[in-house]
Amino acid sequence: LGLDQRLHRTELVDDQVGRMVDALVETGQLENTMIIFMSDHGETLGDHGLIQKGCRFYEGLVRVPLIISWPEKVLSGVENDALVELRDIAPMLLSLAGVDLPDWVDAPSLWPLLTGEKAPEEHRDFVRCEYYNALDMQDNTFATMFRDERYKLIVYHGHNLGEFYDLLQDPHEFSNLWDDQEHQAKKLELIQRSFDASMLAMDKGSPRIGPM
């Protein structure tokens, strides 16, 4: 899509969200409705010489909109820079609906952030992303991203390829430190943390009921 088409699409979304909010106001339901505006991914729009979506983990692609509104129930007009994942929405909604969380739900609820009960740095130490078909290769390269407050690690598994960025010094991600000797210790630390996080995120199967 061209720039004009993308702008029209953005305007269309804005108009339709406005219609839904207007309907809630007109029917007296706004004060009893949580509104969540989110996206599954971003678009590069020429960033790093790329167009469209996918294949990489730049901030423009993985740092997506997440806007939550519920008058008089959550904080209003607050911008929160906490590290969050979209899957953090599910435990919040289940809890608000009075549903017990299943054992396999390991994501923290966003509710304490929305009410000010928890500071942004207390929510998550890191976030993860996964993407299949990340590179144009026969094995449809599987790639993972691990990002904490300062560093971002991307591994293209099985190819000895990766990216490593210091987001404090390089917020636009132009200096790939993957092979930089001065950053090998920090890169190894994040590789280990990413491996642990990936293993702990796996489906552990049904609970064991037999003797140990």
Side-chain angles (χ1 to χ4, degrees):
L1 294 176
L3 179 58
D4 288 343
Q5 292 173 301
R6 294 178 188 274
L7 291 175
H8 287 313
R9 176 179 288 184
T10 301
E11 184 179 9
L12 174 64
V13 171
D14 188 54
D15 289 342
Q16 301 312 310
V17 171
R19 289 181 59 199
M20 289 186 284
V21 173
D22 289 342
L24 291 172
V25 172
E26 293 169 3
T27 57
Q29 300 181 80
L30 182 65
E31 293 184 357
N32 195 37
T33 302
M34 173 181 280
I35 300 173
I36 303 176
F37 185 91
M38 53 183 276
S39 173
D40 59 342
H41 61 78
E43 300 276 346
T44 50
L45 295 175
D47 193 16
H48 289 81
L50 301 170
I51 60 172
Q52 299 183 351
K53 60 185 179 181
C55 85
R56 295 294 184 270
F57 297 88
Y58 295 124
E59 290 290 275
L61 291 170
V62 300
R63 191 169 184 172
V64 297
L66 178 58
I67 303 171
I68 300 177
S69 174
W70 194 359
E72 300 184 8
K73 297 293 181 63
V74 302
L75 298 175
S76 178
V78 175
E79 292 187 16
N80 196 312
D81 59 358
L83 293 173
V84 304
E85 297 181 359
L86 293 179
R87 66 195 188 101
D88 300 346
I89 296 172
M92 175 184 66
L93 296 181
L94 289 172
S95 295
L96 290 173
V99 178
D100 292 335
L101 296 182
D103 293 338
W104 46 264
V105 174
D106 63 348
S109 170
L110 291 172
W111 186 252
L113 285 178
L114 300 180
T115 58
E117 299 171 30
K118 181 185 287 186
E121 63 272 13
E122 296 175 339
H123 182 69
R124 279 184 177 274
D125 296 327
F126 62 86
V127 291
R128 296 176 60 250
C129 287
E130 300 177 354
Y131 193 83
Y132 296 92
N133 301 322
L135 297 177
D136 186 16
M137 295 183 176
Q138 291 184 346
D139 64 352
N140 299 322
T141 311
F142 177 53
T144 56
M145 182 207 81
F146 182 95
R147 183 203 192 282
D148 64 15
E149 186 176 357
R150 176 168 180 173
Y151 295 99
K152 178 185 290 186
L153 173 85
I154 298 107
V155 179
Y156 301 100
H157 297 277
H159 294 279
N160 195 30
L161 293 173
E163 299 170 60
F164 186 55
Y165 299 105
D166 181 344
L167 298 175
L168 179 62
Q169 301 297 328
D170 179 31
H172 301 296
E173 302 167 285
F174 284 113
S175 180
N176 183 3
L177 303 173
W178 179 265
D179 293 319
D180 185 84
Q181 291 302 310
E182 294 183 3
H183 289 84
Q184 292 308 296
K186 177 58 71 172
K187 184 182 81 171
L188 177 59
E189 175 192 327
L190 262 70
I191 287 176
Q192 292 172 325
R193 292 176 64 193
S194 178
F195 181 71
D196 285 344
S198 296
M199 293 300 99
L200 294 173
M202 291 175 57
D203 182 3
K204 303 176 182 65
S206 57
R208 179 170 181 162
I209 60 176
M212 299 297 289

